[in-house]
């Protein structure tokens, strides 16, 4: 990713809020591919003519195929405070998702225990007593149904790996394009999961901040353009 392609939603002396493209890693991973964190470091180094490596702190993550709003810290103090805020539930993270199938309940809370198999990078629903089990919760509301698909607004309570994808697959309504967890029912295509809203408190000023970014207008998202425009972002 070139720094010219970086979409910045907000920048000040302490934080940088950007739009993460789909299929771009948010930080270095085992693939060795270029990633958003390193791109931000290059941007800071060039923009501010910094000597040596520029600092950028990873505060939260998005799965590689998921796009949307992310905040990075520009100072170690901001990184520490944002990380603590994230740990204490001070972030509100909302997503849009297109589901294959319609959940039986149009508005509900999903609670599960999840376990990650680090060998194959697959996350499973498990029992509370299983080794490595972590509590996961989200709430959702179905905004529109069309042609066997459902447009959902999701509020993430916890930030587990692949959480939204695994939890919706567990009720037999996988996220569109999620062949890993939904199998053939998920249908082939770009993953229809988008982090559209991020709310947090500024780590230095204490200001309440919210940033939004609508999902792409191509692919399966085109099927729900009317409902997207009617939602009060």
């Amino acid at each position: 990713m070139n720094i010219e392609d970086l979409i910045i939603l907000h920048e000040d002396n302490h934080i940088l809020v950007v739009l993460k493209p789909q299929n771009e890693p948010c930080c270095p991973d085992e693939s060795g591919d270029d990633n958003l964190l390193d791109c931000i470091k290059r941007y800071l180094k060039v923009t501010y003519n910094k000597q040596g490596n520029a600092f950028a702190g990873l505060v939260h993550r998005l799965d590689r195929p998921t796009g949307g709003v992310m905040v990075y810290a520009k100072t170690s103090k901001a990184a520490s405070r944002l990380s603590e805020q994230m740990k204490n539930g001070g972030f509100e993270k909302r997503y849009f998702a297109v589901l294959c199938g319609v959940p039986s309940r149009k508005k509900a809370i999903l609670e599960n225990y999840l376990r990650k198999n680090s060998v194959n990078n697959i996350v499973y629903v498990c029992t509370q007593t299983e080794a490595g089990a972590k509590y996961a919760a989200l709430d959702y509301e179905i905004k529109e149904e069309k042609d066997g698909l459902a447009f959902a607004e999701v509020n993430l309570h916890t930030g587990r790996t692949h959480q939204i994808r695994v939890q919706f697959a567990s009720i037999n309504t996988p996220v569109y394009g999620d062949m890993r967890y939904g199998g053939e029912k998920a249908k082939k295509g770009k993953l229809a999961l988008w982090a559209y809203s991020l709310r947090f408190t500024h780590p230095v000023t204490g200001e309440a901040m919210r940033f939004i970014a609508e999902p792409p207008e191509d692919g399966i998202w085109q099927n729900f353009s009317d409902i997207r425009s009617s939602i009060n972002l």
Side-chain angles (χ1 to χ4, degrees), residues 31-106:
S31 72
D33 293 342
D34 193 20
N35 62 88
L36 190 53
L37 180 62
D38 286 342
C39 179
I40 288 171
K41 289 179 179 180
R42 292 195 298 269
Y43 161 78
L44 294 174
K45 181 178 175 65
V46 171
T47 303
Y48 299 103
N49 194 26
K50 290 182 176 290
Q51 301 299 314
N53 295 324
F55 175 86
L58 181 71
V59 177
H60 63 119
R61 299 170 186 264
L62 286 179
D63 293 345
R64 180 169 182 153
T66 305
V69 184
M70 289 193 70
V71 58
Y72 290 81
K74 292 175 61 177
T75 65
S76 57
K77 179 171 73 173
S80 176
R81 291 181 178 179
L82 285 173
S83 295
E84 187 67 21
Q85 191 179 151
M86 170 69 71
K87 180 181 176 181
N88 294 331
F91 274 54
E92 181 193 77
K93 297 171 285 183
R94 290 184 173 271
Y95 295 72
F96 287 143
V98 177
L99 308 178
C100 294
V102 181
S104 58
R105 294 181 294 171
K106 304 302 169 59

Side-chain angles (χ1 to χ4, degrees), residues 59-213:
V59 177
H60 63 119
R61 299 170 186 264
L62 286 179
D63 293 345
R64 180 169 182 153
T66 305
V69 184
M70 289 193 70
V71 58
Y72 290 81
K74 292 175 61 177
T75 65
S76 57
K77 179 171 73 173
S80 176
R81 291 181 178 179
L82 285 173
S83 295
E84 187 67 21
Q85 191 179 151
M86 170 69 71
K87 180 181 176 181
N88 294 331
F91 274 54
E92 181 193 77
K93 297 171 285 183
R94 290 184 173 271
Y95 295 72
F96 287 143
V98 177
L99 308 178
C100 294
V102 181
S104 58
R105 294 181 294 171
K106 304 302 169 59
K107 187 175 183 179
I109 296 174
L110 298 182
E111 295 179 290
N112 298 100
Y113 282 87
L114 306 181
R115 177 176 64 85
K116 180 179 179 180
N117 184 328
S118 299
V119 175
N120 58 14
N121 197 31
I122 296 290
V123 178
Y124 303 89
V125 172
C126 65
T127 62
Q128 181 178 356
T129 56
E130 193 165 338
K134 293 184 177 181
Y135 175 73
L138 60 80
D139 67 80
Y140 70 86
E141 182 175 359
I142 302 303
K143 296 293 188 177
E144 187 178 21
E145 303 168 27
K146 183 181 293 185
D147 301 326
L149 302 174
F151 184 93
E153 182 179 16
V154 183
N155 179 30
L156 201 58
H157 299 184
T158 54
R160 307 305 180 197
T161 302
H162 300 173
Q163 179 182 333
I164 294 174
R165 298 161 62 184
V166 175
Q167 288 195 279
F168 277 113
S170 75
I171 60 171
N172 202 32
T173 56
V175 177
Y176 183 96
D178 190 6
M179 307 300 288
R180 173 178 294 198
Y181 294 108
E184 291 185 1
K185 182 169 184 177
K187 306 185 186 300
K188 289 185 178 180
K190 189 177 288 187
L191 186 72
L193 181 60
W194 187 263
Y196 85 88
S197 174
L198 183 64
R199 192 191 302 265
F200 59 92
T201 301
H202 193 283
V204 176
T205 68
E207 178 186 358
M209 311 197 82
R210 187 195 184 202
F211 301 95
I212 59 173

